């Protein structure tokens, strides 16, 4: 017996509609009928065009740029469903904005990730489904259950097919010390050795490569990170592995392709041969690079949604 809702419904706002459509298709469901628009003064308007009373509702909405608009769309849609007597509301947020503001880096700093978590909870969400939070402790900012998916299996599976049996020709490289654990786990999945870029950041969005820990000479390098924002760290690391380390080729893989500011131009001018991203953030139009491969998260999220609906554990997906 399902105690949470008589049926399952997938809705979306405006941030990543194609992914929401793919998730619904994977589940064999139509996308929920709704409109998310803007009044002339900039206020967001949400209209639900079907009943959600007693339903188990999932709202797919990445809080990527425009971050604040997308967060408000999510909050207002949650509120609309709560007031329409939905049995349970799950916020499906493939990319969680403000995740990098997870602590006080200096005096009088806000902890914005906690504030966003409180807003989602207060709006009426019963649980959160997300992927690769920048800091995993953000799960503890929520007073509701959080299911935290990881993108590494999707990226590793794609690269494993490319590498084949030539694992000795490749080396996984962490672009900074903060990504070492992620890169180590990724290297274990591929069966490749690990190297680390030791860099010192002088100021925000500017990084300086200092040293390469490990052997990359004559190897094909795979740079791994959770997100690529302005791409400064990634491109500096890529250049360092070629110029200082003597690597042959550079590939890069990340879950979230935020690609803000000068990111596109930097990647175009970098030695990166191929960039592999997941579609947690839309990579379309001017943001789509010729050497960029975008993998779908829809099957993974669809399976997680099905497990949540059926009250089955999500953790076996990562065994």
């Amino acid at each position: 017996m399902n105690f949470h809702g008589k049926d399952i419904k997938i809705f979306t706002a405006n941030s990543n509609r194609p992914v929401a459509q793919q998730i619904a298709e994977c589940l064999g469901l139509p996308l929920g009928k709704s409109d998310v628009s803007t009044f002339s003064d900039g206020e967001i308007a949400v209209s639900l065009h079907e009943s959600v009373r007693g339903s188990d509702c999932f709202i797919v909405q990445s809080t990527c740029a425009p971050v604040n608009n997308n967060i408000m769309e999510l909050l207002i849609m949650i509120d609309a469903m709560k007031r329409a007597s939905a049995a349970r509301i799950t916020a499906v947020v493939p990319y969680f904005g403000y995740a990098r503001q997870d602590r006080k880096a200096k005096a009088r700093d806000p902890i914005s990730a906690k504030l966003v978590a409180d807003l989602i909870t207060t709006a009426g969400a019963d649980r959160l489904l997300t992927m690769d939070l920048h800091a995993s402790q953000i799960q503890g900012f929520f007073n509701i259950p959080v299911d935290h998916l990881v993108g590494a299996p999707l990226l590793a599976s794609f690269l494993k097919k490319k590498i084949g049996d030539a694992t000795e020709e490749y080396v996984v490289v962490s672009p900074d010390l903060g990504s070492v654990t992620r890169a180590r786990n990724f290297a274990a999945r591929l069966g490749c050795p690990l190297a680390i870029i030791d860099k010192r950041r002088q100021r925000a969005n500017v990084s300086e490569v200092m040293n390469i820990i490990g052997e990359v000479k004559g190897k094909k390098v795979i740079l791994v990170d959770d997100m690529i924002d302005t791409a400064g760290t990634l491109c500096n690391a890529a250049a360092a592995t070629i110029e200082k380390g003597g690597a042959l080729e550079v590939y890069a893989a990340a879950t979230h392709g935020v690609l803000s500011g000068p990111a596109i131009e930097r990647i175009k001018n970098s030695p990166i041969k191929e960039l592999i991203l997941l579609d947690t953030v839309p990579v379309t139009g001017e943001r789509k690079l010729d050497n960029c491969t975008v993998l779908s998260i829809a099957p993974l999220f669809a399976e997680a949604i099905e497990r949540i609906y059926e009250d089955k554990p999500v953790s076996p997906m990562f065994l």
Side-chain angles (χ1 to χ4, degrees):
M1 181 180 292
N2 175 31
F3 294 99
H4 298 299
K6 63 186 180 186
D7 54 7
I8 179 172
K9 295 192 175 183
I10 311 296
F11 287 85
T12 186
N14 293 324
S15 74
N16 210 339
R17 186 169 288 271
V19 164
Q21 184 66 57
Q22 291 168 26
I23 290 172
E25 288 173 1
C26 287
L27 292 167
L29 298 169
L31 202 56
K33 298 175 184 176
S34 64
D35 287 325
V36 181
S37 56
T38 306
F39 290 114
S40 59
D41 64 352
E43 292 180 4
I44 291 165
V46 170
S47 298
L48 303 179
H49 299 306
E50 62 181 271
S51 173
V52 296
R53 183 179 294 273
S55 297
D56 205 345
C57 297
F58 295 81
I59 305 171
V60 181
Q61 176 81 338
S62 282
T63 52
C64 50
V67 182
N68 300 328
N69 267 24
N70 286 334
I71 288 174
M72 282 305 298
E73 287 181 3
L74 174 62
L75 297 176
I76 294 171
M77 185 169 274
I78 291 171
D79 183 72
M81 290 185 179
K82 181 182 177 183
R83 295 176 187 279
S85 301
R88 183 171 63 172
I89 303 166
T90 300
V92 181
V93 186
Y95 171 71
F96 184 84
Y98 285 100
R100 284 170 286 181
Q101 299 186 45
D102 64 306
R103 66 193 186 283
K104 292 184 69 169
K106 61 182 186 298
R108 295 173 294 281
D109 269 1
I111 303 180
S112 305
K114 168 61 174 167
L115 174 61
V116 174
D118 287 344
L119 289 170
I120 291 172
T121 305
T122 302
D126 295 296
R127 68 188 306 123
L128 178 81
L129 174 61
T130 188
M131 174 175 272
D132 279 349
L133 290 168
H134 187 67
S136 58
Q137 64 265 26
I138 292 173
Q139 295 174 77
F141 291 178
F142 287 85
N143 293 323
I144 55 177
V146 175
D147 291 301
H148 187 211
L149 306 181
V150 292
L154 294 176
L155 296 168
S157 177
F158 175 84
L159 284 165
K160 204 157 190 175
K161 292 175 184 175
K162 177 184 289 290
I163 293 171
D165 296 327
T167 53
E168 70 284 350
E169 297 177 13
Y170 289 80
V171 57
V172 173
V173 176
S174 172
D176 56 29
L177 295 174
S179 300
V180 172
T181 301
R182 181 181 300 105
R184 182 185 294 116
N185 294 337
F186 201 86
R189 287 180 181 274
L190 295 180
C192 297
L194 174 70
I196 303 164
I197 302 289
D198 176 26
K199 63 148 178 101
R200 187 170 301 162
R201 189 180 295 277
Q202 305 298 322
R203 59 184 185 277
N205 293 331
V206 176
S207 61
E208 180 183 354
V209 172
M210 303 298 291
N211 193 23
I212 300 173
I213 304 169
E215 185 58 59
V216 299
K217 188 173 183 180
K219 302 277 189 177
K220 297 176 182 178
V221 162
I222 301 171
L223 288 164
V224 178
D225 213 342
D226 64 326
M227 76 168 67
I228 302 171
D229 187 359
T230 59
T233 296
L234 184 79
C235 293
N236 284 347
T241 58
I242 296 287
E243 296 165 11
K244 294 185 179 181
L248 298 178
E249 295 176 352
V250 181
Y251 299 86
T255 300
H256 309 299
V258 179
L259 304 180
S260 66
I264 298 298
E265 196 62 32
R266 283 174 173 171
I267 293 170
K268 284 180 180 178
N269 296 328
S270 76
I272 294 172
K273 184 174 181 180
E274 184 177 8
L275 175 65
I276 303 106
L277 300 171
L278 304 184
D279 57 357
T280 57
V281 178
V283 184
T284 55
E286 295 178 355
R287 300 174 70 253
K288 184 73 165 70
L289 294 155
D290 292 337
N291 63 338
C292 182
T293 300
V294 181
L295 308 178
S296 176
I297 58 169
L300 188 67
F301 271 84
E303 182 181 349
I305 287 170
E306 188 171 14
R307 285 176 174 272
I308 291 168
Y309 174 68
E310 295 177 350
D311 290 325
K312 293 180 179 178
V314 175
S315 56
M317 293 172 64
F318 312 113
L319 297 177

